[in-house]
Amino acid sequence: MTGVELWHRVQQFLFREARLLDERRLQEWLALYTDDAQYWVPYAWEQKSPKDHVSLFYETKSLLSMRIDRLERELSPLDSPMARVNHYLTNVQVDAVSVAEGAELDARAHLLFVEHRREEQRWFAGRASWRLRPRGEDFLIAAKRVDLLNADQEQGHLRFAVPF
Amino acid sequence: MDIAALLRGDAVHRAAYTDPAVFALEQERIFRRAWLYLAHESEVPRAGDYVLRRLGPDEVLLVRREDGGLSLLHNRCAHRGARIVTEPAGNARQLRCPYHSWTYALDGRLVGVPLPEGYAAKPELGLAKVARVESYRGFVFGSHAAEGQGLGEFLGGLVSAFDNMLDRAPAGTVSRFGGALRLEYRGNWKMFMENAVDLVHPGFVHRSSVEAARGQPQALAADGLTQQGAQMFLANGMRAPQWDEVPLHAFPGGHVYMGGFYKGGVIGAERDDPVFANYRKQLVERHGEEKAANVLALDRFNNLVWPNVSINARFAAMRVVQPLAADRTVVEVLCFRLDGAAPQMHDLTLQFVNLAASPASLVASDDLEVFERCQRGLQDAALDWIDVRRGVLGDRRQADGSTLGSGTSELAVRNQFAAWLQYMRQ
């Protein structure tokens, strides 16, 4: 496979992940993750580890599963009415961790997350990175990290329901 | 303003939450008088270390001086008013204003002014000092009031919450780590302090996360992080009779704690893995068997030091409420390391605050949503009074001036407004 093909396939995969979130197909979104996946949104700029500093999200697949289960039960006051979200990905790049066939890949992109809820539209910009595990022609997400430009901002985070 | 008219029996006028004039008066009469939590001494260990913090309405610098003492200075140049420091923390030999380079020693004394020949005498100005700064076993508080209760007297019955956190550390001390989460909401600051000891709301507000965790019983046997999340979400699903058994203990000054939470809930007071067994052994070595058992058995969830601190000693976490406007508040969430304990014990603290208190938390996000709904609803003038009578018949006055009530009572709200009135009317 050429670099262009790989890049194209990875990008299509990331776009699909974004679309599943945007369309609230949350179980399908979760199915993109490996059972041992780590989902991390740091709370400090250039945070080294989730173990020595607080995080905005630091979750296992089971916790993500509870997160979306909660939204699907439609019991959360936060998500009533439901937020509408768009994930925009640009600057997609792929770094092969190893050249071996079937080896994991690292992908990164710039992320713009727009959320409309009731009378308010909020914008968050950040850098996303994924550790992807090939699965046939497709991929699974073994780890995802999103660094918000304003991760450490004092005010303005308010609250989040749908993941990035 | 007739402050007493805002309280009527066991009801509160909505203006206490919505009126900017009431908010301004609160800033003057409560937040410029009470002892407010600032920082922990471990954040400024060396001479020249400083942290930039909010103390009521003002921005202040807590500085470690060369003589080892602490200075608490307003972050405002004595010349033209520029903020001197903008970094949240750092180390400096002197404090220098970026505008005209007025320079101050670590105690706030003015030591250098450019073009001194232009002055008849060196200006006798320095950085304004905050009236009082005092530390309770490493926890540093400041007060803008030159006179009033000492810190120990102010903390009163709640010193036990700080003592318990320290007793839980094998080395007998704690230190700050992990940065700070900040939760903003568009609601009045008092809502957070009231909700932290409101044990009727969890069954309703947190139902979505309770149900989500009930739907995944296998999570209780999964990895530590997942397990802790599931336990915490499930804990909010206790039934009213169980919450009733969690007593509220209210003290003069507005302070309150809730006890008996972990025993009744699904979050065990103790754990039985090797890390905890070793930790327990360390505590026995420090305190002896009987006291170690008592330290671990002290079973309180939120310990509130009114007006703006909430301590959870079991998970070594603290929240500090910073009012910004009548309808805007930031809550800072802080973690402490139990000195001498294994790193896995600190994981529990980080996980606790991430899961319970981040703006993305399945728990806190629903609380914030409800505060914002209340703030919006209270704009409506059709009903002026907020009823806080729930459980009033069960309040039991104690000989020491404190009051006991059941977990489902609104005793804490009544007690906080009694303190509020005391501050506000003088």
Side-chain angles (χ1 to χ4, degrees):
Chain A
M1 186 173 21
T2 68
V4 173
E5 277 170 5
L6 178 65
W7 175 76
H8 178 73
R9 273 174 39 196
V10 166
Q11 183 164 260
Q12 290 303 307
F13 174 78
L14 300 180
F15 287 168
R16 191 163 91 236
E17 189 206 2
R19 180 172 169 181
L20 292 173
L21 283 171
D22 292 347
E23 294 180 355
R24 284 238 178 191
R25 290 152 66 187
L26 297 172
Q27 297 296 347
E28 290 174 70
W29 171 73
L30 190 67
L32 300 180
Y33 285 74
T34 64
D35 287 343
D36 60 349
Q38 185 191 76
Y39 179 90
W40 184 29
V41 183
Y43 205 79
W45 188 245
E46 297 181 337
Q47 189 173 328
K48 297 274 188 301
S49 159
K51 297 286 197 177
D52 59 11
H53 196 283
V54 289
S55 298
L56 192 53
F57 296 71
Y58 174 53
E59 298 188 355
T60 58
K61 189 177 186 181
S62 301
L63 289 169
L64 287 176
S65 172
M66 287 180 219
R67 174 176 291 282
I68 65 178
D69 188 8
R70 159 187 190 245
L71 297 179
E72 290 187 335
R73 285 171 196 262
E74 298 185 22
L75 293 171
S76 165
L78 170 66
D79 200 40
S80 164
M82 285 182 193
R84 300 170 205 153
V85 299
N86 267 0
H87 292 72
Y88 299 88
L89 299 178
T90 69
N91 307 39
V92 175
Q93 288 193 299
V94 178
D95 302 318
V97 177
S98 140
V99 291
E101 189 68 25
E104 292 188 341
L105 306 168
D106 283 344
R108 67 178 88 188
H110 283 185
L111 169 74
L112 188 63
F113 174 85
V114 184
E115 178 201 71
H116 179 78
R117 187 173 161 278
R118 297 194 197 139
E119 299 304 304
E120 189 185 8
Q121 196 148 297
R122 300 196 295 154
W123 300 62
F124 289 89
R127 300 172 192 175
S129 55
W130 294 259
R131 170 69 49 99
L132 299 179
R133 199 170 287 168
R135 184 186 55 172
E137 296 290 289
D138 205 2
F139 304 99
L140 285 175
I141 301 169
K144 180 173 179 178
R145 167 177 177 153
V146 176
D147 285 280
L148 298 178
L149 292 185
N150 64 343
D152 53 0
Q153 181 178 311
E154 186 182 21
Q155 292 160 37
H157 279 127
L158 305 169
R159 55 232 153 340
F160 300 100
V162 182
F164 292 102
Chain B
M1 186 183 296
D2 184 2
I3 284 298
L6 297 178
L7 300 181
R8 189 179 74 185
D10 292 314
V12 182
H13 195 280
R14 64 189 183 89
Y17 297 83
T18 59
D19 186 347
V22 173
F23 181 82
L25 206 61
E26 286 177 339
Q27 292 286 295
E28 283 309 308
R29 295 191 175 171
I30 301 173
F31 288 87
R32 281 196 187 279
R33 285 179 181 162
W35 285 100
L36 304 173
Y37 179 74
L38 259 182
H40 188 263
E41 292 209 30
S42 60
E43 295 174 84
V44 286
R46 291 164 305 140
D49 285 347
Y50 64 81
V51 289
L52 181 59
R53 291 290 145 87
R54 189 177 277 122
L55 187 72
D58 299 331
E59 192 180 59
V60 296
L61 283 167
L62 180 71
V63 188
R64 178 73 69 182
R65 294 190 308 261
E66 262 132 24
D67 67 4
L70 292 170
S71 296
L72 186 56
L73 308 165
H74 288 258
N75 187 29
R76 177 224 187 267
C77 181
H79 179 212
R80 299 278 284 268
R83 292 169 86 204
I84 307 247
V85 165
T86 52
E87 290 292 314
N91 182 280
R93 290 180 55 200
Q94 294 180 318
L95 300 165
R96 179 171 290 120
C97 177
Y99 195 3
H100 302 95
S101 208
W102 281 37
T103 305
Y104 305 90
L106 297 177
D107 61 1
R109 254 178 322 118
L110 181 64
V111 291
V113 175
L115 305 172
E117 59 277 15
Y119 293 86
K122 199 173 104 184
E124 289 173 6
L125 293 165
L127 295 179
K129 290 189 172 68
V130 172
R132 290 186 294 168
V133 54
E134 220 179 289
S135 168
Y136 180 74
R137 301 185 68 189
F139 297 91
V140 184
F141 289 72
S143 167
H144 287 295
E147 285 165 23
Q149 293 180 314
L151 178 60
E153 195 191 339
F154 169 82
L155 295 174
L158 268 288
V159 289
S160 56
F162 296 94
D163 292 343
N164 185 240
M165 197 199 290
L166 291 161
D167 285 342
R168 285 172 181 270
T173 56
V174 298
S175 21
R176 271 275 287 123
F177 83 113
L181 281 167
R182 292 187 178 87
L183 290 168
E184 185 188 358
Y185 66 89
R186 291 167 191 162
N188 190 267
W189 63 275
K190 296 186 286 297
M191 291 174 178
F192 183 91
M193 295 300 278
E194 294 159 1
N195 186 66
V197 278
D198 178 322
L199 300 185
V200 174
H201 86 279
F204 305 106
V205 172
H206 301 306
R207 199 176 141 211
S208 72
S209 45
V210 171
E211 298 284 324
R214 281 186 184 148
Q216 308 214 16
Q218 74 284 1
L220 286 170
D223 61 284
L225 171 59
T226 305
Q227 221 177 81
Q228 194 177 347
Q231 287 175 344
M232 275 179 34
F233 304 151
L234 287 170
N236 282 320
M238 290 203 283
R239 311 245 171 256
Q242 291 171 285
W243 288 119
D244 252 338
E245 287 166 19
V246 176
L248 292 176
H249 202 145
F251 294 85
H255 312 329
V256 62
Y257 63 74
M258 53 195 260
F261 179 80
Y262 297 106
K263 276 189 217 89
V266 291
I267 310 182
E270 297 197 18
R271 313 183 322 164
D272 58 2
D273 55 88
V275 172
F276 192 84
N278 187 53
Y279 165 70
R280 195 180 191 290
K281 203 170 121 238
Q282 288 180 298
L283 289 193
V284 171
E285 278 162 24
R286 178 173 183 83
H287 298 301
E289 181 60 47
E290 194 187 335
K291 185 176 172 192
N294 290 339
V295 164
L296 290 170
L298 196 77
D299 181 21
R300 302 181 192 161
F301 192 72
N302 285 330
N303 298 266
L304 303 193
V305 178
W306 204 80
N308 73 336
V309 176
S310 173
I311 301 158
N312 182 301
R314 162 76 170 77
F315 284 110
M318 185 190 281
R319 292 178 229 198
V320 183
V321 180
Q322 303 284 8
L324 303 181
D327 58 357
R328 267 180 74 222
T329 305
V330 164
V331 181
E332 299 168 348
V333 188
L334 313 174
C335 304
F336 293 86
R337 179 178 277 133
L338 302 173
D339 293 336
Q344 291 94 326
M345 295 300 294
H346 311 136
D347 291 349
L348 297 178
T349 297
L350 272 183
Q351 292 167 11
F352 172 73
V353 307
N354 289 345
L355 290 161
S358 136
S361 154
L362 271 60
V363 181
S365 58
D366 280 329
D367 288 316
L368 303 187
E369 167 65 21
V370 168
F371 300 162
E372 297 191 352
R373 289 190 189 197
C374 289
Q375 194 71 30
R376 274 284 286 272
L378 291 174
Q379 301 293 331
D380 188 323
L383 293 173
D384 275 333
W385 294 93
I386 299 160
D387 187 286
V388 294
R389 275 176 302 181
R390 194 178 67 226
V392 73
L393 298 176
D395 291 358
R396 297 185 300 283
R397 252 326 167 134
Q398 306 297 296
D400 65 356
S402 65
T403 308
L404 276 176
S406 80
T408 55
S409 161
E410 280 167 331
L411 162 64
V413 183
R414 295 187 287 274
N415 188 57
Q416 289 174 11
F417 270 103
W420 183 86
L421 184 61
Q422 221 170 10
Y423 277 98
M424 290 287 276
R425 77 192 322 174
Q426 358 165 335

